[in-house]
Amino acid sequence: MSQLEENLVNVRSSITEAAQKSGRRPDDVRLVAVSKTMGAEKVAEVLRSGQTLFGENKVQEAREKIPLVGGDAEWHMIGRLQKNKAKYIPGLFTTVHSVDSFELAEALNLAMANALERGKGLKSEILHILIQVNIAMEESKGGATETELINLIKKISILSHLKIKGLMIIPPYSENTEETRAYFKKLRQLRDKIAVMKLPNVDMEELSMGMSHDFEVAIEEGATLVRVGSAIFGERNTA
Ligand SMILES: *Cc1c(COP(=O)(O)O)cnc(C)c1O
């Protein structure tokens, strides 16, 4: 087995274990293999090992890489997205995890409308989005604040080419996973609170939370999408 395959097997079994430990079905947790900075060859190897869902955080990098990887991969945009890059999303990505403003949602909706009008062979007429929440109100990170969240969701929910599927968080980094757990728990409570409101055109199924160092805890707290990079691909060259 190659190192990449071995890593993938290990991450998958940790996901299964964490799900079972908390009385959840392993199938209810999807692994997003975060391939940012990794070359297309490496990503294609992981795809051949049976991992079909990938995450990228930069539009330009994804535009170059996705055609090179080819195959039957599904791609999620997980990074901060500028409005002027929204036009590149349809056709490349099925889901955007990082929507945090009405203006960005509007730009994505318009991009979808334009792509559909051009008959751009989209697999789906609807772009799935998650609302990123910045519970700790960190300046350096994107995300809607808790106070604005419900109004933002209500406003976005009327956009016809988007479907809100849930919430996403990147909690403050901490070595102490119990500190991180509190953020995961809080995101789940917010999700549940919004779910009972039964807003039209809003699904609250998904909780995108957990990365290489804390995805087990995130699964214990209800994650349905875990975004795991370095535990699969190895350390990134951040130079
Ligand atoms: C890079 C990144 C990840 C994955 O991080 P790892 O620690 O390598 O697992 C997850 N989510 C987002 C938003 C990222 O940018």
Side-chain angles (χ1 to χ4, degrees):
M1 224 193 279
S2 74
Q3 185 64 56
L4 279 176
E5 279 177 284
E6 197 178 317
N7 292 347
L8 190 60
V9 167
N10 287 338
V11 168
R12 288 197 170 287
S13 63
S14 301
I15 289 174
T16 302
E17 234 173 83
Q20 285 168 346
K21 185 177 162 191
S22 42
R24 302 184 57 208
R25 297 205 332 243
D27 284 354
D28 291 344
V29 184
R30 279 188 295 159
L31 171 62
V32 183
V34 177
S35 50
K36 64 189 188 194
T37 78
M38 300 297 160
E41 280 300 318
K42 237 176 153 174
V43 184
E45 189 187 332
V46 172
L47 176 63
R48 285 193 298 274
S49 309
Q51 172 64 32
T52 54
L53 178 56
F54 294 91
E56 287 283 334
N57 72 332
K58 293 207 171 76
V59 170
Q60 189 50 42
E61 185 183 337
R63 289 180 71 203
E64 291 164 19
K65 193 184 298 182
I66 291 175
L68 292 175
V69 174
D72 213 4
E74 178 184 352
W75 297 84
H76 286 188
M77 176 66 194
I78 62 170
R80 211 163 192 178
L81 181 59
Q82 287 165 343
K83 268 185 303 177
N84 61 3
K85 302 265 173 72
K87 58 178 178 283
Y88 300 119
I89 298 296
L92 282 184
F93 295 98
T94 60
T95 303
V96 178
H97 289 222
S98 43
V99 175
D100 62 359
S101 72
F102 182 68
E103 290 71 26
L104 175 58
E106 243 183 340
L108 288 167
N109 191 57
L110 181 64
M112 283 297 289
N114 289 338
L116 288 164
E117 199 176 289
R118 273 183 277 122
K120 208 179 150 197
L122 299 184
K123 280 186 196 149
S124 167
E125 298 198 352
I126 301 289
L127 180 70
H128 288 175
I129 63 168
L130 306 178
I131 308 297
Q132 183 177 350
V133 192
N134 191 342
I135 293 174
M137 308 232 272
E138 289 178 285
E139 293 273 353
S140 61
K141 282 181 190 156
T145 63
E146 264 181 86
T147 17
E148 68 187 339
L149 183 61
I150 289 170
N151 273 332
L152 179 63
I153 288 175
K154 283 182 182 162
K155 271 176 88 179
I156 293 176
S157 70
I158 62 163
L159 299 172
S160 57
H161 300 294
L162 306 183
K163 175 98 186 181
I164 299 175
K165 300 294 285 184
L167 305 177
M168 180 269 216
I169 191 171
I170 309 173
Y173 181 81
S174 166
E175 293 286 340
N176 176 355
T177 47
E178 292 313 305
E179 264 172 48
T180 314
R181 182 189 297 277
Y183 287 99
F184 293 153
K185 191 175 292 217
K186 182 78 205 195
L187 195 72
R188 170 165 45 89
Q189 289 165 347
L190 278 172
R191 193 265 316 259
D192 294 345
K193 181 174 139 191
I194 298 163
V196 298
M197 297 170 75
K198 297 206 184 307
L199 301 170
N201 198 29
V202 176
D203 279 350
M204 278 284 138
E205 299 157 9
E206 307 283 7
L207 282 177
S208 168
M209 57 192 198
M211 304 172 30
S212 291
H213 65 286
D214 56 18
F215 68 87
E216 288 101 334
V217 176
I219 291 169
E220 288 167 27
E221 295 303 331
T224 63
L225 289 162
V226 289
R227 310 178 309 266
V228 179
S230 46
I232 297 170
F233 288 97
E235 290 303 319
R236 287 178 291 273
N237 289 322
T238 45

